[in-house]
């Protein structure tokens, strides 16, 4: 059974940083397009950043300059480094793995930005 397990969330003050990790198992990780989404209370899930198998990166506007997505194929893990966090970044962050018709989600990790 495919598993995506996120970790690294927590409570951080505005301006702080967090590094999220998503460890994948039972997939050929290196060929998968890996994405980070987030969902704030009462809002729809939205894309944050993505990194295809070729290692290129894409960020939505609110993530540009503050967030960095990366992957370590040897560890089957994708990361999201988040800096200069704002209260509006508060959300559950989800890892997503896609390849062809395969589409898998993690259970999410809570990020709360508050003083």
């Amino acid at each position: 059974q495919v598993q995506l397990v996120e970790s690294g969330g927590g409570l951080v003050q505005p301006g702080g940083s967090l590094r999220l990790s998503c460890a994948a198992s039972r997939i050929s990780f290196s060929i998968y397009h890996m994405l980070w989404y987030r969902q704030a209370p009462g809002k729809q899930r939205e894309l944050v950043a993505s990194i295809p198998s070729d290692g290129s990166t894409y960020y939505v506007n609110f993530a540009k300059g503050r967030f960095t997505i990366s992957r370590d194929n040897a560890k089957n893990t994708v990361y999201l480094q988040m800096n200069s966090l704002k209260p509006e970044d508060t959300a559950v962050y989800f890892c997503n793995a896609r390849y062809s018709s395969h589409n898998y989600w993690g259970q999410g990790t809570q990020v709360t930005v508050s003083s």
Side-chain angles (χ1 to χ4, degrees):
Q1 184 176 353
V2 174
Q3 278 193 317
L4 299 177
V5 180
E6 299 98 333
S7 61
L11 173 64
V12 63
Q13 293 187 341
S17 297
L18 283 175
R19 187 194 195 203
L20 306 184
S21 299
C22 171
S25 59
R26 299 183 180 89
I27 61 171
S28 297
F29 181 81
S30 64
I31 67 174
Y32 272 74
H33 188 162
M34 300 302 298
L35 305 94
W36 283 99
Y37 281 79
R38 72 183 187 184
Q39 187 166 18
K43 295 188 177 181
Q44 288 190 331
R45 193 171 296 189
E46 60 181 352
L47 178 66
V48 177
S50 70
I51 184 166
S53 57
D54 65 2
S56 59
T57 57
Y58 170 80
Y59 301 93
V60 298
N61 282 341
F62 65 74
K64 290 178 181 177
R66 298 191 301 129
F67 295 0
T68 302
I69 188 171
S70 60
R71 64 191 296 161
D72 185 338
N73 290 337
K75 295 183 178 180
N76 287 3
T77 300
V78 62
Y79 305 96
L80 185 68
Q81 176 69 43
M82 303 187 295
N83 300 327
S84 303
L85 284 163
K86 305 174 182 179
E88 51 263 43
D89 294 318
T90 294
V92 178
Y93 284 71
F94 296 90
C95 176
N96 177 226
R98 299 181 189 179
Y99 177 75
S100 185
S101 62
H102 303 284
N103 189 8
Y104 304 108
W105 290 90
Q107 82 290 345
T109 185
Q110 176 70 48
V111 171
T112 302
V113 185
S114 175
S115 55

